[in-house]
């Protein structure tokens, strides 16, 4: 065995022969490649009538295994796929030992067999295979095109990936989507609408498939459908009881989605309609455990608002952020200490879909930042009748920018900039690209019944006109803001940081720096911090606390903004937040209330006569396990 670490071009200094001349004098050709799509080198070896070793990781090796004929094995296959390295080495050693024991007659037979197999490896033989492959590909593409034309493929085309020019390798993870039996194909549509989160029988459609798996999947129907066995899906599609439940739930779901009659609890719409919806902004939404993008009361409240808006048929569009890392998980280590883990969210296994344009490309919004442009993808979450659009930054077109200010605050602010937009320019872009008109009622968490304004009807010289020529007063007629009752929840930034990030905005808006500072400072003077809460309080039509006590706390916290006013006169009111009841009661409690209050009680939740019937419920019926199972 000779090892020559050089190209055999006739001038290697040792053999001094071209490769093919050296090859012709070999007794055995060994090509144990880890992977070759075809493998021309072992084919060339066989063409020279040389017994050849190839592997099951080479296309030629797999073909030769099928093409082999006769008693002599001129092509020897070394199994590498799934084999440990030591086992593969032993197998190759065994081939060498067996070959060295062969007599001249056996060698001549192997040489003839290798040559015969190589002769068959020509285009005359292979071309019909290409014809069959292309014909099959055309048939599949045609069938897929028909499904696409019929609209059945919308749920499958969830991800498109665009290549980028780079000298470095770029890896993408692709998720295969399970095929559902035709009879229950709408399970995926239902899984991607969080209507099931507050309808227990909707969840039953998924849990019934495999109760233990449902628990392991964290009550996530999207993960469930991609994990449950094909056999179980087929069994369910042929089960009469399951199909009866399937038909009932889908009929209930369709009736809910088609009905666009506003609830009588809403009162006058004041111009709000589905073509001109309320725009609802929140940094987090607590909708269900399978969407871990919330951590506390703000998210829970925002999620309840969206669900309630859906039930009341209130035209509303939610806008928020999609976090790659959601809330943390607490674990106890081996020393008994509590630690936190921050698992990354897998968007492909969550009930959301990336927003695409008519060509199937991901819709993006952009925001100019100092020294760079930020791009963000838009993901849609269906919450009953309501659409929630979540933004997450994308690396495409976003080169890493230098850290001009090396402080922790600067780094945190840079992270927030990835999805924040102080000028609301990005909010309009996102809504319009997602197929909605520019949103109205630009408030943070929202109260209802405020006269609408459409920002797309402002002067053509830019949305920045909101802050010049008196348009600021117009914006104050329509926005609603909910202040945070805790000091840590109200952010303030240094003047240097504000100047760094808002310089382009101030120039674009046409106002002076002194006017801008006045919008967010508690007191005048150079170097004073800029409060985002003060900016919101001054730009909003109304400021509402979320309870009476919260109102008292907020008026006391911000009394310096209204110097000379009695605390009771500070314009921060309050509303008492409710809860989306169906999200907090168990399936058994829902059945109990349906029985004694009557079907549809949740649509008349403020009717005192309905609630008088609660006295008719026998005491034993209210006890027992599962009546107070917490939030769904």
């Amino acid at each position: 065995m000779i090892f020559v670490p050089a190209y055999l071009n006739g001038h290697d200094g040792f053999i001094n022969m071209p490769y093919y001349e050296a090859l012709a004098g070999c007794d055995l050709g060994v090509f144990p490649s880890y992977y070759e799509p075809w493998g021309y080198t072992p084919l060339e070896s066989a063409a020279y009538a040389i017994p050849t070793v190839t592997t099951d990781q080479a296309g030629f090796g797999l073909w030769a295994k099928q093409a082999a004929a006769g008693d002599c094995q001129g092509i020897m296959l070394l199994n590498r796929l799934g084999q440990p390295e030591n086992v593969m080495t032993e197998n190759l050693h065994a081939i060498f030992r067996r070959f060295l024991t062969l007599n001249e007659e056996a060698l001549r037979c192997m040489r003839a067999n290798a040559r015969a197999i190589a002769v068959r490896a020509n285009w005359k033989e292979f071309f019909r295979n290409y014809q069959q492959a292309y014909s099959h590909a055309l048939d599949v593409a045609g069938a897929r095109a028909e499904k696409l034309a019929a609209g059945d493929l919308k749920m499958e085309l969830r991800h498109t990936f665009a290549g980028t020019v780079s000298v470095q390798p770029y890896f993408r993870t692709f998720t295969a989507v399970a095929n559902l039996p035709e009879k229950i194909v709408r399970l995926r549509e239902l899984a991607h609408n969080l209507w099931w989160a507050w309808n227990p029988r909707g969840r039953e459609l998924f849990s019934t498939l495999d109760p233990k798996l449902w628990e392991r999947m964290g009550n996530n129907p999207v993960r469930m459908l991609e994990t449950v066995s094909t056999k179980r899906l087929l069994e369910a599609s042929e089960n009469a009881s399951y199909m009866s439940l399937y038909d009932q739930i889908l009929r209930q779901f369709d009736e809910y989605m088609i009905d666009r009659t506003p609830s009588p609890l809403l009162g006058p719409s004041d111009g709000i309609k589905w073509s001109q919806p309320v725009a609802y902004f929140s940094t987090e939404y607590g909708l269900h455990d399978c969407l871990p993008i919330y951590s506390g009361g703000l998210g829970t409240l925002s999620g309840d608002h969206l669900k309630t808006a859906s039930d009341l048929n209130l035209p509303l569009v939610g806008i928020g952020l999609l976090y790659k890392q959601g809330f943390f998980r607490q674990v106890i280590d081996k020393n008994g200490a509590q630690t936190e883990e921050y698992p990354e969210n897998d968007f492909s296994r969550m009930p959301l879909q990336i927003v695409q344009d008519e060509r199937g490309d991901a819709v993006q919004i952009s925001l100019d930042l100092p020294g760079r442009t930020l791009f963000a993808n838009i993901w849609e979450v269906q919450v009953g009748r309501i659409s929630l659009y979540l933004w997450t930054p994308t690396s495409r077109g976003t080169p890493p920018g230098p850290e001009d200010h090396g402080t922790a605050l600067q780094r945190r602010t840079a992270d927030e900039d990835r999805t924040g937009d102080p000028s609301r320019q990005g909010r309009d872009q996102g809504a319009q690209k997602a197929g909605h008109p520019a949103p109205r009622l630009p408030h943070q968490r929202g109260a209802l019944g405020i006269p609408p304004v459409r920002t797309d009807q402002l002067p053509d010289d830019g949305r920045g006109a909101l802050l010049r020529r008196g348009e600021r007063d117009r914006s104050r007629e329509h926005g609603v803001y909910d202040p945070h009752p805790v000091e840590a929840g109200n952010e303030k930034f240094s003047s240097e940081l504000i100047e760094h990030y808002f310089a382009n905005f101030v120039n674009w808006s046409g106002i002076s720096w002194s006017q801008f500072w006045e919008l967010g400072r508690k007191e005048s003077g150079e170097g004073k911090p800029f409060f985002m809460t003060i900016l919101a309080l001054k730009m909003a039509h109304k400021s509402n606390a979320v309870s009476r006590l919260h109102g008292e706390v907020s008026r006391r916290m911000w009394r310096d903004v209204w110097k000379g006013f009695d605390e009771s006169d500070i314009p921060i009111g309050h509303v008492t937040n409710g809860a989306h009841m169906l999200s907090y009661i168990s399936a058994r409690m829902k059945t109990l209330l349906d029985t004694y209050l009557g079907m549809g009680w949740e649509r008349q939740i403020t009717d005192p006569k309905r609630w008088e019937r609660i006295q008719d419920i026998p005491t034993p019926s209210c006890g027992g396990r599962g009546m107070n199972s917490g939030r769904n």
Side-chain angles (χ1 to χ4, degrees), residues 38-40 42-44 46-47 59-60 63-64 67 75 114-127 129:
W38 172 243
Y40 283 100
L43 172 58
E44 291 169 344
F60 170 74
W63 173 81
I75 307 296
R115 173 66 183 177
I117 292 175
V119 169
R120 293 177 56 189
N122 59 63
W123 280 106
K124 183 179 179 181
E125 296 288 335
F126 289 158
F127 190 71
N129 296 330

Side-chain angles (χ1 to χ4, degrees), residues 42 46 50-54 60-61 64 73-77 110 113-114 117:
I50 298 170
T52 300
V53 176
T54 183
F60 170 74
Q73 293 185 355
I75 307 296
M76 290 158 278
L77 195 67
M110 290 184 68
N113 182 263
I117 292 175

Side-chain angles (χ1 to χ4, degrees), residues 134-372:
Y134 279 108
S135 177
H136 178 69
L138 287 172
D139 291 341
V140 173
R144 195 170 180 84
E146 291 178 3
K147 291 182 68 177
L148 181 62
D152 295 337
L153 210 60
K154 180 180 179 183
M155 298 299 291
E156 293 184 24
L157 299 177
R158 295 192 293 174
H159 303 285
T160 59
F161 298 104
T164 56
V165 178
S166 174
V167 296
Q168 300 295 329
Y170 191 72
F171 299 98
R172 289 275 193 187
T173 299
F174 291 84
T175 301
V177 179
N179 288 322
L180 300 179
E182 187 65 29
K183 291 183 180 180
I184 55 175
V185 71
R186 291 190 65 194
L187 281 179
R188 180 168 285 116
E189 175 190 351
L190 186 62
H192 280 85
N193 191 315
L194 287 169
W195 174 85
W196 54 261
W198 67 93
N199 287 274
R201 299 198 71 206
R203 296 193 296 276
E204 189 178 339
L205 267 182
F206 302 100
S207 63
T208 302
L209 293 172
D210 189 332
K212 292 183 178 179
L213 181 63
W214 174 250
E215 290 187 12
R216 292 209 312 272
M217 294 299 101
N219 297 348
N220 181 344
V222 177
R223 287 186 64 196
M224 180 73 179
L225 293 181
E226 303 307 327
T227 309
V228 68
S229 69
T230 303
K231 178 182 177 183
R232 189 67 193 93
L233 290 170
L234 289 171
E235 289 175 353
S237 67
E238 299 300 329
N239 184 281
S241 297
Y242 184 85
M243 291 307 300
S244 176
L245 177 64
Y246 176 85
D247 292 338
Q248 292 176 30
I249 297 305
L250 266 297
R251 184 164 53 250
Q252 181 184 349
F253 174 68
D254 289 339
E255 290 173 355
Y256 178 91
M257 295 297 293
I258 292 172
D259 181 14
R260 290 302 174 100
T261 306
S263 169
L265 299 175
L266 287 176
S269 65
D270 206 5
I272 298 173
K273 49 189 176 182
W274 287 106
S275 60
Q276 297 180 356
V278 172
Y280 184 103
F281 297 91
S282 180
T283 54
E284 54 179 286
Y285 290 88
L287 294 161
H288 190 267
D289 292 350
C290 66
L291 268 176
I293 57 173
Y294 66 101
S295 60
L298 168 63
T300 303
L301 175 62
S302 300
D304 282 5
H305 278 165
L306 264 57
K307 293 175 184 177
T308 302
S310 176
D311 288 344
L312 295 178
N313 247 320
L314 171 68
L316 183 144
V317 173
I319 305 291
L321 310 177
L322 181 58
Y323 304 104
K324 187 62 177 176
Q325 290 183 325
F327 48 69
F328 63 79
R329 295 176 184 169
Q330 294 176 327
V331 295
I332 306 298
D333 65 17
K334 62 181 181 180
N335 299 318
Q338 176 182 298
T339 60
E340 292 77 37
E341 295 178 346
Y342 289 85
E344 287 197 352
N345 289 325
D346 182 356
F347 298 157
S348 67
R349 298 300 179 98
M350 296 164 64
L352 45 79
Q353 292 182 303
I354 196 165
V355 176
Q356 299 175 330
D357 59 21
E358 61 278 359
R359 297 173 299 179
D361 297 326
V363 173
Q364 290 188 341
I365 60 173
S366 61
L367 176 66
D368 290 332
L369 296 175
R372 66 191 189 277

